[in-house]
Amino acid sequence: QNQRLIPVRLQLKWFPQAQFAGFFVAKAKNYFRDEGLDVTLVPIGDQSPIQTVATGTADFGTTWITDLLTARQQGLPVVHIAQIFQRSGYTLVALRNSNISNVAGFKGKRIGVWPSGNEYPVLALLKRNKLTSSLESNVARPDVQAVTYPFDPSLVFPEKVDLVSAMTYNELNQIQGLGYDMSKLRVFRLADLGINLLEDNMFTTQAVLNNTNFKGSGLSGREVAARLVRASIKGWDYAVKNQKEAVQIVLPQCGNTCRGSGTRADPLQHQTWQMAEVAKLYNAGPTLKGNAGLLDPATFKANVTLLKSLGILKADPPANVVDYKVWEAATGKKAP
Amino acid sequence: MASRAAEVKLRRGGVAPLALGWGLVVASFVLLGVAISQVLNVQFGTTPSNQGTVLLLTALGVVLGVFGIGRIADRTRGLTPALVTFVFSLLAVEALLRAYAVPPGLIPTPSRVWTALVNGLEVLARDAAVTFVQEALVGYLGGTIVAILVALAVVRFRFLERGLLPYAAVASSVPIVALAPVIVKAFGLEPVSKAIIVGITVFFPIVVNVVRGLQSANPHHLDLMRTYAVPPARTFLLVRVPSALPFLFTALKIATTLAMIGAIVGEFFGATGEGLGFRIQIEAGRFNLDVVWAAIVVASVLGIAFYGLVSWLESRFTFRFGSAK
Amino acid sequence: MTTLPSPGARSSRPKRSTGNFWPMAIVAFLVLALYWPLMLWVNAGQAQRIMATGADLGCGTATQCATQLRNPTLPAPGQLLSGFRALSVPPFSTTSAPSNALVTAGETIVGLAIASVLGIVLALLLVISRGFERAVLPWLIASQMVPIIALAPMLAVVLGQYGVQGWVPKAIIAAYIAFFPVAIGVARGLRSPDPLQLDLLRTYHAGHATVFWKLQLPASIPFLFTALKVAATAALIGSIVAEISTISFSGLGKMLAENSRASDTIALWVIMIYGAALGIFLVGLVGLIERAVTPWRVGQPK
Amino acid sequence: MTTTVARPSSVGGAISVRNLGMVFPTAGGETVALQNASLEIGAGEFISLIGPSGCGKTTLLRLMADLLTPTSGELRVAGQTPQEAREQRAYGYVFQAPALFEWRNVLSNVMLPLEVMNFPKEERRARAETMLRLVGLEKFARSYPWQLSGGMQQRVSIARALAFDPPILLMDEPFGALDEITREHLNMELLRLWRDTKKTVVFVTHSISEAVFLSTRVVVMTARPGKIEGVVDVDLPQPRTAEVRETPAFFEAATKVRELLRKGHGFDVVE
Amino acid sequence: MTTTVARPSSVGGAISVRNLGMVFPTAGGETVALQNASLEIGAGEFISLIGPSGCGKTTLLRLMADLLTPTSGELRVAGQTPQEAREQRAYGYVFQAPALFEWRNVLSNVMLPLEVMNFPKEERRARAETMLRLVGLEKFARSYPWQLSGGMQQRVSIARALAFDPPILLMDEPFGALDEITREHLNMELLRLWRDTKKTVVFVTHSISEAVFLSTRVVVMTARPGKIEGVVDVDLPQPRTAEVRETPAFFEAATKVRELLRKGHGFDVVE
Ligand SMILES: Nc1ncnc2c1ncn2[C@@H]1O[C@H](COP(=O)(O)OP(=O)(O)OP(=O)(O)O)[C@@H](O)[C@H]1O
Ligand SMILES: Nc1ncnc2c1ncn2[C@@H]1O[C@H](COP(=O)(O)OP(=O)(O)OP(=O)(O)O)[C@@H](O)[C@H]1O
Ligand SMILES: Cc1ncc(C[n+]2csc(CCO)c2C)c(N)n1
Ligand SMILES: [Mg+2]
Ligand SMILES: [Mg+2]
């Protein structure tokens, strides 16, 4: 039994943390194993998960929609197979006393962003508000200066940037840990500002899907994908319903990266917060209609339209950039 | 002295082979050009229908080109052979990438890189100004000046030579990149932090070389100065400084490369939205490899120019000091 | 005036190793003694600035915070020591510095080996053919001006397409920066024989092969080792940079990237010290091999 | 690797120089290093070349050794072209500088020609040790060149040239770096060797008395364009001993050489 | 920079060496380079030091020049300590190697001591040119050292030592690299200069006949531990001409030197 398990590498989008709780739960509770899969959850730092999946270092990955679509635009044959988070958790945070009250006020300011494809939501927000930025490689005198830094807001905020990127489930708590409670902060939620670019999804490559004998298992790549998605959704459902337990499953997996920032850096506290926030992103859209893991075609279309109108995508992506059949095979449901 | 006669014998003669070489190169360029023209509008991810023809043309062009360049290079001095090789490589790569329809997210064709370079020239120029001037150059000059002062102190005080120099020699085998995140953390995201990284990177090789140079002074020259009862400071200027110059320039040339790498690596650990390293990082994450390569081209050209400038200074100075070879 | 070394004074100088011990110890002591106040001063300034923005650090005054900042500019010795312990025991777990240093060392040594082979082959071509030198040497020099860190991720992606993953791309990138000094050094070494030595073999009617094996090759060996010492450092930088900028699951570079992302300054310092030790070790290793391979130079002055 | 190469001793030792000329192309035109030189050297002769710096002594030796190709005239070494002679290993050459291989110890430096010429292993060692004894360096067999003084290094290079027992010796100022006593000792050794083995020796020196003491004939050359100014026959009894230096015949020969040297030796052109 | 430095000519030229010893600490113990040497040199004398390689000739010269400090014994130069003498620029030193500055041309190499001793500008040039004429190199004033042969370089270094007209000349094998004719010419020039200027000369050489020809006394030294074996008075008429070499007195002196040299010169210990 044991040696019949099919080895699968799933590339996470960051170091282990509650952001990926569903996957860790699926592994811990043997959901993957029950599907005949031996899944390795691969952490990553700076790079885009696209890199590992496109090079075959991992078989599947989780990343954000813009990252996926732009890679596809550049000829990398990546395919979307399931959507985990149904809402964007991206925010920009300023000190309340900085007098930045709306997006127009960003002009002439410095914004901290993460590189490696994580900067697209900010780029979209700025473009939509007719602000140029140093994230565009053909604008010589940008309105907004984007500052890259090694992911920890304490490095730049509030000394070196006026606004800093923060995920609802992570940095927002870290910033509070730095000694600024919510009363001192002004939070711009991108989803509320018309930029609801979908985040954590599951994807793979055309090559994996077309594979008729995945790693000599006798199963097709498509079948493996379906099993992976099925187990993952099961894991996510469990994690969201049993958050305390999920956090306990995650905590042993992570080292340094699980604590927050500042003096209140406590992994348990931070990951509990993270789990709760992540659950909010999971429990939205199709999930609420019982279709967890489904990419809502309307939201997807809106995302594509937005990216096209901003010039981030030059043309419509090919239809096969999303493969609904995997989700259908995984759930036995029909995609709308 | 001996091999000179042998060399005279070896020199193969005639203009005809050279002309033949150029003929071959031109033919090769034409073949490659034709090959490229066959696959001008190819969809990546698909195999072009005429792939076989294109590959055949390319292979033929490559063979002719290699022979032609070989002939030219055997008989032509200067940079001509290198330049021909460069153009030749670009054409061949362009043809091959197009023939195999390699996606630009994997390897961009030279023509795409060129387009990106032209379109983004203004931004790249600003990036270059930050990376090259504010970071590499500032750090380079700062590091050099401090290094020379330290080297002077080391030569002046035997204690420092024994107590400090061994550390400096060891430190030059330390991978300085490991310092980059720490320094960016300590000194912030502004160009200053990168200049400091550059300064530290260039510091050690320069100290070690300058000390070696100052100590390479001919002991007989020093004795001679002693017989003239010349005061130490004057001896220093008359004897030690001139003999240290070649060593200094050797180190300065090595340091140009270190400076460029140091600045770019530093930017990877945080930047204020400008700089070639920032550009490379942000665009690589988006798979805009044409822009990435354009930035690399700019960095390389600057690096080569920087190296060339130092070499030129070296030749000027060493000429003044009348060295032979 | 007596500080001017004369030829006599020079050769009568006592042996380096014994003469340097006390000065080195004193310098080390001075540096350590100066470190504490410097660290306090720098870190207190940092704490002060953070507090001024309204943050609550939870450690009283700025001076009190200086030795317990999470992101100190300079780590306090105590922090460094516990960081060392945290990263070093158990030495061979996947997250500890020693085992990761071994991985990096492996990549570096393989890279250095590739670089040596490539460098020596190039050197031979450069020495054999003027034409090759003219057509290629300028681009070899130019290749060293290309910031490899920028090439590394792309190279990894391209190699990955052909199934080359893991530590191999790192070794290749290490080789990329390390081959150049080797090529130049060996080429210089192959050209180093005195014209008289070449003439001598000519008077023996020796063939090209004999000249190569009996003269050019042994003459180039000291040059090879000088180059290898430079190349060892370069290769180490290459593999660390490659680990940072491509996907990696082990190695000092990966730890560096990870802890940089996790904002663990102390860990960064510890890893840096491990990297320094590794660099010194590699250069020392080359030196030991050199001594073994060039017995004729043992004890030779200068 | 090939074993068909002739052993040196199988060829004769005469050298014939006819109207030999050597012109070097240089930056500022051409340098005439040797002009119209003619000289017949019989097998077994001991010839010294003497003349001011830059007069073409080394050039003449290098021409004989086929290390240079003459621009005019004719040259036969051991009855063949210089190239053939070289390929037959007809001569041993002692350069102005020792040109030892730093990575070989003294013994294996002396064995170098024997290795290249495929002498059997045991013979190499035996021959090399004999030669080292001849130059008084048997105690330094295991030393490396850098551990030797300049004079000792030059003696190693002499041993090396003698090791394969060539019928002709071409020696370019071999004793220039030695002190007078050592020099005299080696002069005697060289003479003994020459007598015993009937080699042809062409010997370059700056010392008139050394030239006269050693040679059967002294060839005096003039500087730029290098020419043979005259040849002085030395009529001294063989075998020569140190006392020969005090004989009138010695003085006569030395004076003749000195006068030939003075002729055309404008101080200014001396280098 | 300072202008208070004494001009060389203001001091006398006698040198007094008493029980002088020099021991170098070396890896394998100590090297006794000079042992118990005593010698009185009067102002205006021409003394030659001769002896096998490594016998301490250079060491003795360096002690006189205050380039080394003796480990025992007493030494007075021009009536003062060697250091005072050096600071008064009492001597000019010609090293065994030319030690020219590669980045200065011949003329400015010769002017170097005049520059550092703050001679007036015009005088520097005039003196340097005179000296270059003396050594026959006036045509090479603008050449760089690498364009000169070894012998020419050595002549430049002699001109440099003479340029500031020191009362004492310390010369370490200055003519070693020269051909015999040039050497003889420079011997004559040196003798003339010595007569005309009444300098004290201490001259190291390997050539017995050169030593005898030039000197008022020849000091013969023995190797390890370096000792003075004996002093030979040379009773030849002044001014000396080339013919002096053929006189019996010359022979007698040369033979005496030779015999002293032979004594204790085991061939093996020669370097
Ligand atoms: N390869 C060369 N190219 C140009 N000129 C040369 C070359 N070799 C020698 N000469 C010139 O030829 C002349 C004769 O040189 P050669 O070396 O034969 O002199 P020499 O008599 O051996 O002198 P020395 O006594 O200094 O060894 C010199 O003027 C020298 O500059
Ligand atoms: N600085 C030194 N340290 C150790 N030993 C030295 C030093 N200088 C000279 N010696 C030794 O002292 C001895 C005398 O050396 P010195 O140079 O005076 O000899 P020399 O008579 O000038 O020889 P040569 O004729 O070769 O120039 C030699 O054995 C030498 O090795
Ligand atoms: C500690 C930490 N910092 C930032 C993020 C935000 N974030 C979410 S996904 C992603 C991409 C990383 O490559 C980033 C930066 C996080 N999750 N964890
Ligand atoms: Mg010569
Ligand atoms: Mg000496």
Side-chain angles (χ1 to χ4, degrees):
Chain A
Q1 172 70 34
N2 221 348
Q3 68 233 46
R4 308 284 319 261
L5 291 179
I6 303 165
V8 170
R9 288 165 79 84
L10 173 61
Q11 177 66 62
L12 304 178
K13 197 175 165 48
W14 191 244
F15 301 105
Q17 57 179 351
Q19 182 189 358
F20 315 110
F23 302 117
F24 286 109
V25 166
K27 187 166 164 76
K29 299 219 158 264
N30 286 336
Y31 299 164
F32 290 132
R33 178 180 289 256
D34 295 342
E35 296 285 352
L37 307 180
D38 175 20
V39 175
T40 310
L41 298 175
V42 184
I44 203 172
D46 248 355
Q47 298 85 19
S48 160
I50 300 271
Q51 231 192 78
T52 53
V53 176
T55 60
T57 306
D59 310 301
F60 299 88
T62 168
T63 192
W64 295 356
I65 196 75
T66 324
D67 197 22
L68 184 93
L69 293 178
T70 49
R72 182 74 190 214
Q73 174 170 270
Q74 295 295 344
L76 299 176
V78 283
V79 182
H80 183 293
I81 54 174
Q83 187 64 36
I84 305 297
F85 291 176
Q86 303 293 0
R87 247 184 48 184
S88 164
Y90 205 111
T91 74
L92 286 171
V93 176
L95 284 185
R96 196 166 277 280
N97 62 20
S98 71
N99 296 327
I100 302 173
S101 54
N102 56 23
V103 180
F106 289 6
K107 190 166 176 154
K109 302 292 189 220
R110 290 173 147 207
I111 304 184
V113 301
W114 311 297
S116 304
N118 296 307
E119 74 284 11
Y120 280 118
V122 173
L123 180 63
L125 178 70
L126 295 174
K127 281 199 158 204
R128 198 185 156 119
N129 290 278
K130 302 272 177 298
L131 291 171
T132 59
S133 73
S134 59
L135 293 170
E136 295 162 75
S137 292
N138 47 10
V139 175
R141 250 159 257 290
D143 299 327
V144 172
Q145 193 83 12
V147 172
T148 49
Y149 63 96
F151 293 92
D152 182 341
S154 71
L155 294 175
V156 292
F157 187 77
E159 287 192 286
K160 307 214 161 74
V161 296
D162 307 291
L163 291 130
V164 66
S165 298
M167 304 308 293
T168 51
Y169 50 80
N170 191 8
E171 287 76 11
L172 213 47
N173 183 240
Q174 288 186 339
I175 291 170
Q176 291 172 45
L178 292 178
Y180 309 97
D181 60 40
M182 285 305 267
S183 65
K184 292 180 184 151
L185 302 174
R186 176 168 284 129
V187 179
F188 298 90
R189 290 172 197 273
L190 266 60
D192 301 342
L193 295 168
I195 307 293
N196 189 25
L197 289 167
L198 290 170
E199 288 159 9
D200 300 20
N201 58 29
M202 292 176 76
F203 73 98
T204 185
T205 60
Q206 206 77 61
V208 167
L209 290 183
N210 293 345
N211 195 339
T212 51
N213 185 7
F214 183 87
K215 295 190 184 169
S217 63
L219 295 184
S220 70
R222 203 163 263 294
E223 175 60 24
V224 171
R227 292 180 178 202
L228 182 74
V229 169
R230 191 182 306 139
S232 298
I233 293 174
K234 198 169 167 197
W236 273 106
D237 281 337
Y238 188 92
V240 166
K241 292 203 183 81
N242 307 281
Q243 297 192 6
K244 262 207 170 113
E245 190 185 345
V247 168
Q248 288 309 323
I249 288 172
V250 169
L251 276 178
Q253 305 297 320
C254 48
N256 255 336
T257 48
C258 270
R259 32 178 209 184
S261 271
T263 47
R264 275 176 256 155
D266 167 34
L268 174 64
Q269 183 271 337
H270 185 59
Q271 294 305 310
T272 304
W273 158 293
Q274 184 163 99
M275 189 64 238
E277 286 298 322
V278 159
K280 293 181 197 160
L281 303 183
Y282 181 77
N283 278 325
T287 314
L288 299 177
K289 297 186 196 127
N291 286 333
L294 174 68
L295 172 63
D296 178 31
T299 313
F300 178 65
K301 218 171 146 224
N303 279 189
V304 169
T305 311
L306 173 68
L307 292 174
K308 258 173 60 190
S309 73
L310 299 176
I312 294 172
L313 286 183
K314 305 273 180 301
D316 273 322
N320 61 3
V321 74
V322 184
D323 191 316
Y324 284 103
K325 296 213 190 69
V326 174
W327 182 80
E328 287 176 347
T331 57
K333 298 175 189 160
K334 188 93 189 82
Chain B
M1 193 174 280
S3 40
R4 222 174 284 176
E7 211 181 288
V8 172
K9 259 194 255 168
L10 280 177
R11 198 177 296 151
R12 284 163 288 175
V15 177
L18 186 59
L20 179 60
W22 280 108
L24 285 172
V25 165
V26 170
S28 149
F29 283 12
V30 169
L31 280 172
L32 292 173
V34 172
I36 292 167
S37 72
Q38 298 299 302
V39 274
L40 264 190
N41 299 308
V42 74
Q43 279 294 316
F44 32 79
T46 64
T47 306
S49 54
N50 52 355
Q51 194 188 45
T53 328
V54 176
L55 285 180
L56 192 72
L57 285 171
T58 309
L60 219 65
V62 167
V63 171
L64 291 189
V66 167
F67 274 96
I69 289 173
R71 282 178 174 268
I72 293 175
D74 277 342
R75 293 168 179 79
T76 316
R77 284 171 200 285
L79 277 181
T80 316
L83 290 176
V84 176
T85 309
F86 183 57
V87 177
F88 166 76
S89 312
L90 287 187
L91 287 175
V93 167
E94 179 93 27
L96 282 175
L97 289 179
R98 283 173 180 272
Y100 284 104
V102 177
L106 215 49
I107 314 174
T109 60
S111 58
R112 268 177 179 270
V113 175
W114 175 251
T115 314
L117 185 63
V118 173
N119 288 343
L121 201 56
E122 205 179 340
V123 172
L124 290 174
R126 278 171 53 102
D127 288 339
V130 172
T131 303
F132 183 65
V133 181
Q134 296 185 38
E135 295 171 0
L137 210 54
V138 168
Y140 182 86
L141 292 177
T144 304
I145 290 169
V146 176
I148 290 176
L149 291 179
V150 169
L152 292 180
V154 164
V155 176
R156 176 69 189 78
F157 301 104
R158 272 294 287 283
F159 174 79
L160 289 182
E161 182 193 338
R162 289 154 161 230
L164 203 59
L165 199 61
Y167 291 113
V170 162
S172 52
S173 60
V174 168
I176 307 289
V177 272
L179 272 175
V182 174
I183 290 175
V184 171
K185 245 164 223 194
F187 295 94
L189 307 168
E190 276 75 12
V192 185
S193 64
K194 268 70 83 178
I196 290 173
I197 293 173
V198 171
I200 293 177
T201 319
V202 301
F203 175 79
F204 293 105
I206 296 183
V207 169
V208 172
N209 269 285
V210 171
V211 168
R212 204 183 291 158
L214 289 172
Q215 288 177 340
S216 79
N218 184 339
H220 280 116
H221 288 168
L222 295 170
D223 277 350
L224 190 69
M225 289 298 128
R226 212 170 129 81
T227 71
Y228 299 156
V230 178
R234 190 119 187 246
T235 300
F236 203 90
L237 284 178
L238 280 169
V239 179
R240 288 195 188 267
V241 170
S243 36
L245 279 182
F247 289 80
L248 172 66
F249 276 108
T250 304
L252 287 182
K253 282 195 287 189
I254 298 172
T256 57
T257 318
L258 295 177
M260 287 304 286
I261 291 184
I264 289 173
V265 172
E267 286 178 24
F268 276 43
F269 288 95
T272 55
E274 281 175 322
L276 293 170
F278 166 81
R279 196 63 57 197
I280 288 167
Q281 186 187 36
I282 205 98
E283 294 299 345
R286 302 167 174 183
F287 303 96
N288 286 333
L289 297 193
D290 48 356
V291 181
V292 173
W293 277 97
I296 290 177
V297 167
V298 172
S300 308
V301 167
L302 285 173
I304 293 166
F306 193 9
Y307 187 92
L309 176 76
V310 176
S311 306
W312 177 77
L313 285 176
E314 178 185 30
S315 67
R316 272 214 45 141
F317 269 83
T318 44
F319 177 71
R320 211 151 72 76
F321 291 110
S323 99
K325 286 132 220 175
Chain C
M1 197 142 299
T2 40
T3 56
L4 292 179
S6 63
R10 184 157 278 258
S11 46
S12 68
R13 186 179 287 182
K15 290 203 82 177
R16 248 226 147 84
S17 44
T18 49
N20 288 356
F21 177 78
W22 283 112
M24 285 179 73
I26 291 171
V27 167
F29 176 79
L30 281 180
V31 168
L32 292 181
L34 285 177
Y35 185 79
W36 181 259
L38 182 73
M39 183 269 304
L40 278 185
W41 178 63
V42 171
N43 291 351
Q46 185 188 351
Q48 188 76 60
R49 266 177 283 122
I50 295 173
M51 289 169 151
T53 64
D56 168 20
L57 285 178
C59 52
T61 69
T63 328
Q64 283 169 333
C65 290
T67 55
Q68 37 184 302
L69 286 175
R70 189 164 162 244
N71 278 313
T73 307
L74 291 173
Q79 288 180 306
L80 209 51
L81 222 63
S82 59
F84 238 104
R85 199 164 331 112
L87 283 179
S88 308
V89 279
F92 294 107
S93 84
T94 51
T95 52
S96 78
S99 68
N100 282 285
L102 277 182
V103 172
T104 304
E107 292 163 0
T108 307
I109 288 171
V110 173
L112 197 55
I114 299 173
S116 308
V117 173
L118 186 68
I120 291 172
V121 169
L122 278 172
L124 284 173
L125 290 174
L126 286 173
V127 170
I128 289 170
S129 162
R130 286 256 160 219
F132 183 83
E133 181 182 334
R134 288 189 196 130
V136 174
L137 186 61
W139 298 112
L140 287 186
I141 296 172
S143 78
Q144 297 306 297
M145 295 293 151
V146 175
I148 26 93
I149 186 158
L151 280 183
M154 286 171 283
L155 195 64
V157 171
V158 173
L159 290 173
Q161 290 295 296
Y162 302 99
V164 182
Q165 325 161 347
W167 57 270
V168 183
K170 282 89 177 172
I172 291 177
I173 289 160
Y176 177 93
I177 4 183
F179 86 89
F180 182 75
V182 177
I184 297 299
V186 173
R188 197 178 293 162
L190 290 174
R191 292 206 175 112
S192 70
D194 187 64
L196 277 188
Q197 293 175 327
L198 287 165
D199 281 349
L200 181 74
L201 288 179
R202 197 171 141 83
T203 70
Y204 299 158
H205 186 44
H208 285 297
T210 310
V211 173
F212 179 78
W213 290 112
K214 294 228 183 277
L215 179 55
Q216 289 183 288
L217 189 73
S220 71
I221 285 177
F223 290 80
L224 171 69
F225 278 101
T226 308
L228 277 181
K229 285 181 197 159
V230 177
T233 313
L236 180 57
I237 292 176
S239 50
I240 290 181
V241 164
E243 285 165 357
I244 291 174
S245 57
T246 69
I247 311 125
S248 36
F249 304 120
S250 53
L252 288 180
K254 171 253 177 186
M255 292 190 79
L256 221 48
E258 188 177 297
N259 285 288
S260 166
R261 295 324 171 216
S263 282
D264 193 336
T265 315
I266 312 289
L268 288 178
W269 278 90
V270 172
I271 297 161
M272 192 182 80
I273 292 168
Y274 268 100
L278 184 52
I280 293 161
F281 167 76
L282 287 172
V283 173
L285 191 66
V286 174
L288 278 183
I289 298 175
E290 177 180 19
R291 276 178 74 92
V293 175
T294 59
W296 67 89
R297 299 171 84 215
V298 175
Q300 189 171 5
K302 192 192 165 189
Chain D
M1 317 287 142
T2 61
T3 46
T4 54
V5 172
R7 276 302 184 71
S9 43
S10 61
V11 290
I15 301 174
S16 151
V17 180
R18 291 211 191 121
N19 300 322
L20 206 62
M22 183 72 215
V23 179
F24 288 106
T26 41
E30 298 184 323
T31 307
V32 182
L34 203 64
Q35 202 177 44
N36 214 15
S38 295
L39 185 65
E40 293 294 329
I41 303 176
E45 266 205 274
F46 196 123
I47 297 288
S48 285
L49 300 180
I50 195 166
S53 225
C55 71
K57 306 180 293 295
T58 299
T59 303
L60 183 53
L61 233 56
R62 294 175 65 82
L63 286 168
M64 292 175 178
D66 187 38
L67 295 175
L68 285 175
T69 313
T71 47
S72 65
E74 213 189 307
L75 182 57
R76 315 268 317 158
V77 176
Q80 311 156 73
T81 64
Q83 188 184 344
E84 286 160 355
R86 177 172 63 79
E87 288 172 359
Q88 307 241 328
R89 283 114 185 210
Y91 63 84
Y93 199 119
V94 180
F95 294 96
Q96 237 169 316
L100 301 179
F101 288 16
E102 309 87 77
W103 52 91
R104 285 173 169 256
N105 65 24
V106 165
L107 185 70
S108 98
N109 260 294
V110 177
M111 292 199 298
L112 174 72
L114 309 175
E115 276 170 35
V116 175
M117 298 177 192
N118 297 305
F119 279 66
K121 261 223 157 104
E122 326 71 60
E123 198 184 337
R124 288 181 207 167
R125 165 168 235 107
R127 274 176 179 254
E129 278 169 353
T130 314
M131 288 307 136
L132 282 180
R133 225 166 299 127
L134 183 79
V135 296
L137 288 177
E138 65 274 25
K139 286 192 195 136
F140 294 85
R142 308 261 147 234
S143 303
Y144 284 99
W146 64 268
Q147 296 169 309
L148 271 49
S149 77
M152 291 160 94
Q153 291 185 20
Q154 192 59 11
R155 275 143 69 194
V156 176
S157 93
I158 293 167
R160 181 178 60 187
L162 295 173
F164 62 100
D165 196 22
I168 301 176
L169 275 180
L170 306 176
M171 307 178 84
D172 199 350
E173 293 190 50
F175 303 145
L178 304 181
D179 73 288
E180 207 149 329
I181 306 289
T182 311
R183 196 165 178 158
E184 281 170 17
H185 171 86
L186 286 176
N187 279 346
M188 297 308 296
E189 289 295 323
L190 181 59
L191 276 183
R192 195 173 52 70
L193 190 98
W194 169 68
R195 269 198 320 272
D196 293 354
T197 58
K198 307 248 173 280
K199 288 185 197 307
T200 311
V201 180
V202 185
F203 185 94
V204 174
T205 178
H206 272 312
S207 162
I208 299 173
S209 68
E210 186 174 70
V212 173
F213 179 68
L214 292 173
S215 318
T216 52
R217 284 190 294 162
V218 178
V219 177
V220 181
M221 301 179 67
T222 349
R224 261 166 264 162
K227 273 190 302 211
I228 294 182
E229 184 73 30
V231 180
V232 177
D233 286 299
V234 183
D235 249 345
L236 292 173
Q238 297 284 1
R240 292 182 188 166
T241 54
E243 290 75 52
V244 116
R245 288 178 204 268
E246 266 110 80
T247 63
F250 185 94
F251 268 95
E252 204 177 298
T255 311
K256 261 198 218 152
V257 171
R258 188 179 306 271
E259 270 158 17
L260 277 171
L261 265 176
R262 282 253 162 74
K263 235 169 87 181
H265 188 306
F267 180 66
D268 277 330
V269 295
V270 179
E271 230 181 292
Chain E
M1 325 256 151
T2 59
T3 45
T4 53
V5 170
R7 276 300 184 71
S9 43
S10 60
V11 289
I15 300 173
S16 150
V17 179
R18 291 213 189 119
N19 300 322
L20 206 62
M22 183 72 213
V23 178
F24 290 107
T26 41
E30 299 186 323
T31 306
V32 182
L34 202 66
Q35 201 177 43
N36 214 16
S38 295
L39 185 66
E40 293 294 328
I41 303 176
E45 265 205 277
F46 196 125
I47 298 289
S48 284
L49 301 179
I50 193 165
S53 225
C55 70
K57 306 181 290 298
T58 300
T59 302
L60 183 52
L61 234 55
R62 292 175 65 82
L63 285 167
M64 292 175 178
D66 188 38
L67 295 175
L68 285 174
T69 313
T71 46
S72 64
E74 212 188 309
L75 181 57
R76 316 268 317 161
V77 176
Q80 309 157 72
T81 65
Q83 185 184 343
E84 285 160 357
R86 176 171 66 75
E87 284 168 1
Q88 307 242 329
R89 282 115 186 208
Y91 63 83
Y93 197 117
V94 180
F95 293 97
Q96 233 169 322
L100 301 180
F101 287 34
E102 308 86 79
W103 53 89
R104 286 172 167 254
N105 67 22
V106 166
L107 185 70
S108 96
N109 260 294
V110 177
M111 292 198 301
L112 176 70
L114 308 175
E115 272 173 53
V116 300
M117 296 178 193
N118 298 306
F119 280 67
K121 260 224 158 97
E122 327 73 61
E123 197 183 337
R124 289 181 208 168
R125 165 167 236 105
R127 275 175 177 254
E129 278 167 355
T130 313
M131 287 307 136
L132 281 180
R133 224 168 297 126
L134 182 79
V135 296
L137 288 176
E138 65 274 27
K139 287 191 193 137
F140 294 86
R142 308 260 149 234
S143 304
Y144 281 91
W146 58 270
Q147 297 170 308
L148 270 51
S149 77
M152 291 161 92
Q153 290 185 21
Q154 192 60 15
R155 275 142 68 195
V156 176
S157 91
I158 294 167
R160 181 178 59 186
L162 295 174
F164 62 100
D165 196 23
I168 302 177
L169 274 180
L170 305 176
M171 307 178 84
D172 199 350
E173 293 189 50
F175 303 146
L178 303 181
D179 71 289
E180 206 151 331
I181 307 290
T182 311
R183 195 166 178 156
E184 280 171 18
H185 172 87
L186 287 177
N187 279 346
M188 298 307 296
E189 289 295 325
L190 181 60
L191 275 182
R192 196 175 50 70
L193 190 98
W194 169 67
R195 271 197 319 272
D196 294 354
T197 58
K198 306 246 174 284
K199 288 186 197 306
T200 311
V201 179
V202 185
F203 185 95
V204 175
T205 178
H206 271 311
S207 161
I208 298 172
S209 67
E210 186 174 71
V212 173
F213 180 68
L214 292 173
S215 320
T216 53
R217 284 189 294 161
V218 178
V219 177
V220 181
M221 300 179 66
T222 346
R224 259 165 269 166
K227 273 192 300 211
I228 294 183
E229 184 72 31
V231 181
V232 178
D233 285 299
V234 183
D235 249 344
L236 293 173
Q238 298 284 2
R240 292 182 189 166
T241 55
E243 291 75 51
V244 116
R245 288 177 204 269
E246 266 108 81
T247 62
F250 185 94
F251 268 95
E252 203 178 299
T255 311
K256 257 196 221 152
V257 171
R258 189 179 304 272
E259 270 159 15
L260 277 171
L261 264 177
R262 281 254 162 74
K263 233 167 92 180
H265 187 307
F267 178 67
D268 275 330
V269 295
V270 181
E271 230 179 291

